Amino acid sequence: MSLTKVELFRRIRSDAVLEELSIRALARKHGVHRRFVREALTSAEPAPRRQPVRRSPRLDPVKKTIDEWLRADLEAPRKQRHTARRIKDRLAEELKADVPYSTVRDYVSTRRGQIAAEAGAPMDGFIIRHNRPGADAEVDFGEVVICLAGTMTRCHLFAFRLAYSGLSVHRVTVSCGQETFLEGHEYAFELIGGIPVGQIRYDNLSSAVRRVVFRSRSRMENPRWEAFREHYGFTAFYCIPGLEGAHEKGGVEGQVGYYRRNRLTPVPVVATLEELNQRLAVADLADRDRKIRLRSRTIGEDFAAEAVLLARLPAEKFGASLTLRPRVDREATVTVRMNDYSVPARFIGRKLQVTLGTTEVVIADGRTEIARHPRLPGRGGQRLLLDHYLEILLRKPGALAGSEALDQARREGTFTADHEAFWTAAKAATDEATGTRQLIQVLLLHRHLRSQDVSAGIRAALSVGAATADIVAVEARKAAQNAGPSPTITAGRPPAPPPPPPPPAVTERTLQRVARLPADHRPPPDLNRWDQLLHHRRKESS
């Protein structure tokens, strides 16, 4: 087994002391040159191996030119300085020098720092920040991709991180708009049970900042965001725009990357965002047992120390949802954030009130809610309910077969196999237009009866070969009566609570008056004369 140079040095020095051998004898015993023995007796550790100076015949002639360009970069704008690729291209264009890119890259990476130090350029580094318990926090958005209802969808991860303990709150949303930004704060405040008393650090995102004052820390804030801050009583700190300010909230920047790699890899497959956010809430809770880097305490232990120092939450929420007033177009839809949502056709041409939340879009006419949809991700999406178009389809039955609303109803399962069977039977019994109108009449029953009762009515009608809406209605009401009393429902909305019992039609005072009336001894009426009229026939006119 070959010995290392350090081990060989140790043995030579030991033999020289214990056996008092000469340099020639030591060299003969260990099979090395006498120069090696003298080096071992002089120093206990071998001298570092000298690296040979490699010459670069193609780079050496242009080194001075490259150095001049790098010195000029010290005065140039940050985003207009030479890269190694640009230097290689300039050498080829201006000096006709064909230098490999890897050679230029290695030289530039070494000389750039040396030239900056020679010119006395300011040192670029980071200062470790002291975080007080319960004082500071950081907020950021990051992009994530999930498989939502079978479709790869680009979403946004809202991250809120306490700077002292590292406790983080995460939530995936379809948008990073202002309503999502505000609801993310409310969700985080409620989860941690308070509000940081120091600063919360942000990028200069448009949900909070209207304009960055040039060469200043001052910002013109969005009025609604300013009102939100005043409501919860915290201070916002805005980082330097661009990559230069990323280190000012480096904790949450790293947290977003950590969460993507450890909680969202592989790509989550979920039916709804609510399902995914429930998973993230469980993961956030489990994360409290984790230790950050070399800390001796867990995240949960540090958070327990700062939770008591957080400011108390106000008694009422701010109300983060955004209110809009779009007009209903001729397709019975309103456009909200570049996505279309359907409303009942009778509201075409009117302006309605839309409450835009993180996960839902609620549409109302005054104080009456008329539609509720899950919020769509991205742009250009459509969310159409077939029930909203039934009045139009009664006049245009031929449009049903190729409608987007019918396709969505089939995919969601609200247009069932029972409806398909009834439609086929109704068209076979009459014609396509008449059969389709019969189907639409059946679909209208869902506004007042439960889906299972309508399906039972369809099956009962088809079992006797009657593909008409009237028979389905009768059989559906029979099924509802057999199932017990149930409140009338509206399609797409949960059943309303049962109404209170009506007051008695006859009061106790009335009953007392009736009890004091004298007995009625009159004979019962004679109806024989009236019965004769039943057999009387009108004389035919001549």
Side-chain angles (χ1 to χ4, degrees), residues 2-121:
S2 59
L3 299 175
T4 63
K5 196 171 182 179
V6 175
E7 179 65 19
L8 193 55
F9 266 42
R10 188 187 64 79
R11 293 189 179 188
I12 291 174
R13 292 170 65 87
S14 177
D15 291 344
V17 174
L18 297 178
E19 301 183 13
E20 298 182 354
L21 298 177
S22 64
I23 291 177
R24 185 184 295 275
L26 290 170
R28 188 181 301 115
K29 179 179 180 178
H30 294 284
V32 297
H33 199 276
R34 292 189 297 275
R35 287 192 301 271
F36 190 91
V37 176
R38 292 190 181 94
E39 184 182 352
L41 296 177
T42 303
S43 174
E45 294 183 358
R49 185 175 181 180
R50 290 180 295 177
Q51 296 292 335
V53 179
R54 296 181 179 179
R55 298 190 59 188
S56 178
R58 285 188 284 186
L59 180 64
D60 289 343
V62 297
K63 282 184 177 180
K64 291 184 179 180
T65 304
I66 296 175
D67 290 350
E68 292 176 0
W69 292 345
L70 293 177
R71 290 190 182 94
D73 279 350
L74 297 176
E75 304 296 331
R78 185 180 183 87
K79 294 186 178 181
Q80 291 177 257
R81 297 176 184 176
H82 286 86
T83 61
R85 175 66 63 183
R86 179 56 183 153
I87 289 176
K88 178 189 181 304
D89 293 342
R90 285 193 65 183
L91 292 175
E93 295 170 2
E94 301 176 15
L95 303 179
K96 309 301 181 185
D98 185 16
V99 185
Y101 170 73
S102 58
T103 303
V104 175
R105 179 196 61 203
D106 294 342
Y107 180 77
V108 169
S109 63
T110 302
R111 286 295 292 159
R112 195 189 296 275
Q114 295 174 352
I115 290 175
E118 293 169 2

Side-chain angles (χ1 to χ4, degrees), residues 471-537:
I471 301 299
V472 172
V474 171
E475 295 297 331
R477 290 187 174 91
K478 286 182 180 179
Q481 291 174 357
N482 294 334
S486 62
T488 299
I489 63 171
T490 302
R493 297 177 61 181
V506 182
T507 63
E508 183 178 358
R509 185 180 299 275
T510 303
L511 294 175
Q512 293 174 358
R513 291 177 179 174
V514 172
R516 291 195 295 268
L517 290 176
D520 189 3
H521 301 288
R522 292 177 296 176
D526 184 12
L527 300 179
N528 292 331
R529 294 183 180 181
W530 296 100
D531 292 340
Q532 294 176 5
L533 294 176
L534 297 176
H535 305 286
H536 178 73
R537 292 182 179 180

Side-chain angles (χ1 to χ4, degrees), residues 374-395:
R375 183 168 177 176
L376 297 175
R379 298 181 178 182
Q382 289 181 321
R383 168 72 179 177
L384 309 178
L385 293 183
L386 182 59
D387 179 75
H388 292 164
Y389 297 92
L390 296 181
E391 286 80 3
I392 298 177
L393 292 171
L394 280 174
R395 296 181 59 249

